[in-house]
């Protein structure tokens, strides 16, 4: 794993969560600008996945044999925001903004877990 990119994804996800949370506080749905933010964070997760797959192809592996768990998290991370974006398209109220905010917090938590599994914290 490339730790600076992981930290960047976490910070970007939390900023997106705060931004959409503020929109929900102001009783606003997700707007086009929010979707651009979702796209930017999604792009970061795809870059991270690509770098990680390249490193794994080069022989690096998660510590303690947690490859299956790691790969499941690695697949889940880029899927998180598109799912909440689709839900928010169907919910054009403040609750769409809440959905994206919560999804971005979940993404940050998944990133932490992804990093933990890579370092050897496979256990639950």
């Amino acid at each position: 794993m490339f730790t600076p990119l992981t930290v960047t994804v976490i910070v970007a996800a939390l900023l997106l969560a705060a931004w959409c949370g503020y929109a929900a506080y102001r009783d606003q749905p997700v707007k086009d600008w929010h979707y651009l933010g979702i796209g930017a964070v999604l792009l970061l997760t795809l870059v991270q996945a690509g770098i990680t797959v390249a490193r794994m192809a080069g022989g690096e592996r998660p510590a303690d044999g947690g490859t299956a768990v790691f790969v499941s998290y690695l697949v889940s991370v880029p899927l998180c925001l598109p799912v909440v974006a689709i839900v928010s398209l169907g919910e054009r109220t403040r609750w769409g903004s809440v959905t994206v905010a919560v999804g971005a917090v979940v993404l940050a938590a998944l990133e932490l877990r992804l990093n933990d599994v890579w370092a050897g914290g496979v256990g639950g």
Side-chain angles (χ1 to χ4, degrees):
M1 288 270 306
F2 186 58
T3 303
L5 184 55
T6 302
V7 171
T8 302
V9 172
I10 291 170
V11 169
L14 292 176
L15 287 172
L16 178 64
W19 189 22
C20 290
Y22 182 67
Y25 172 76
R26 294 189 61 206
D27 201 22
Q28 296 176 343
V30 178
K31 307 243 172 137
D32 291 344
W33 291 108
H34 295 114
Y35 289 110
L36 287 175
I38 290 169
V41 177
L42 175 61
L43 182 62
L44 287 171
T45 64
L46 292 172
V47 167
Q48 179 188 38
I51 290 171
T52 304
V53 167
R55 286 185 169 197
M56 290 179 74
E60 291 184 44
R61 294 282 184 264
D64 299 332
T67 303
V69 173
F70 180 80
V71 169
S72 69
Y73 277 106
L74 191 63
V75 169
S76 299
V77 164
L79 294 176
C80 187
L81 287 182
V83 169
V84 296
I86 290 168
V87 171
S88 73
L89 281 171
E91 184 59 52
R92 300 300 294 169
T93 66
R94 74 184 303 174
W95 297 108
S97 295
V98 169
T99 301
V100 174
V102 170
V105 171
V106 168
L107 174 63
L110 286 172
E111 283 289 326
L112 288 172
R113 185 65 180 132
L114 190 68
N115 192 56
D116 186 44
V117 172
W118 184 265
V122 177

